């Protein structure tokens, strides 16, 4: 993992991260992220980010096996296939309770929205009627909304 944050003169920050992953199943993956944080008055801050994740398939993965028991270990789980996803996210945070209570240093209310697009390189959508192995590649998107409260003590 390599991560960096650069503080801009007007109190905002740019950040970036790059990670590489590998395991004994043959999956190799990386993700890269860039983002921007901009604080406003009264403890309000705004976040914007873009992230990409890409991975190769596991050694024992196949979308279509040639025959039953063609190998010792088999998987057609889409999470073991080769795929990529892209995330675009925005968020807003509001700090509260600075020096309000003796046992709480500060708190924050946080609301984040992410749009995530998943695209599979070798996992086919078998819900579509077609010749086996000719179905369209599977893809989907997700809208993720996160609301949480953080308290520092």
């Amino acid at each position: 993992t390599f991560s960096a944050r650069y503080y801009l003169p007007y109190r905002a920050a740019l950040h970036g991260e790059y990670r590489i992953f590998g395991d004994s199943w043959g999956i190799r993956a990386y993700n890269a992220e860039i983002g921007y944080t901009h604080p406003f008055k009264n403890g309000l801050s705004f976040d914007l980010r873009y992230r990409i994740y890409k991975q190769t398939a596991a050694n024992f993965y196949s979308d279509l096996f040639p025959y039953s028991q063609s190998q010792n270990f088999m998987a057609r789980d889409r999470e073991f296939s080769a795929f990529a996803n892209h995330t675009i996210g925005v968020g807003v945070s509001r700090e509260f309770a600075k020096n309000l209570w003796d046992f709480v240093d500060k708190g924050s209310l946080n609301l984040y929205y992410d749009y995530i697009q998943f695209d599979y390189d070798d996992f086919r959508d078998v819900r579509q009627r077609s010749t086996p192995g000719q179905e369209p590649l599977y893809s989907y998107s997700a809208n993720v909304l996160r609301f949480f409260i953080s308290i520092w003590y």
Side-chain angles (χ1 to χ4, degrees):
T1 299
F2 174 75
S3 182
R5 187 168 295 264
Y6 181 73
Y7 294 96
L8 299 167
Y10 50 94
R11 293 187 46 234
L14 292 171
H15 72 270
E17 181 176 286
Y18 183 80
R19 287 190 277 181
I20 299 173
F21 169 83
D23 66 18
S24 60
W25 290 356
I27 295 175
R28 302 290 179 257
Y30 77 88
N31 76 283
E33 181 176 329
I34 58 170
Y36 176 76
T37 301
H38 191 96
F40 293 100
K41 295 179 181 178
N42 301 325
L44 192 64
S45 67
F46 172 77
D47 291 296
L48 180 65
R49 72 184 187 109
Y50 172 75
R51 178 183 182 264
I52 183 172
Y53 173 87
K54 189 159 181 64
Q55 81 172 34
T56 63
N59 295 335
F60 49 86
Y61 170 81
S62 181
D63 190 45
L64 187 62
F65 292 97
Y67 58 89
S68 177
Q69 305 303 320
S70 63
Q71 59 193 65
N72 290 340
F73 301 102
M74 298 186 293
R76 191 189 177 273
D77 184 330
R78 71 176 184 244
E79 301 306 319
F80 291 134
S81 72
F83 74 93
N85 71 45
H86 300 266
T87 303
I88 297 173
V90 296
V92 63
S93 298
R94 171 79 162 98
E95 287 188 0
F96 66 90
K98 283 188 174 181
N99 304 318
L100 185 61
W101 300 301
D102 289 338
F103 61 93
V104 173
D105 293 333
K106 67 178 178 176
S108 69
L109 293 172
N110 308 275
L111 179 63
Y112 289 89
Y113 167 77
D114 290 323
Y115 173 78
I116 310 171
Q117 176 65 46
F118 294 86
D119 295 307
Y120 291 84
D121 298 341
D122 58 358
F123 183 80
R124 301 211 173 260
D125 190 352
V126 296
R127 299 173 300 174
Q128 308 297 319
R129 296 286 182 202
S130 183
T131 305
Q134 300 301 311
E135 301 91 352
L137 292 171
Y138 188 68
S139 68
Y140 69 97
S141 62
N143 294 296
V144 180
L145 189 62
R146 295 176 285 151
F147 172 74
F148 59 95
I149 299 171
S150 297
I151 296 180
W152 288 261
Y153 57 92

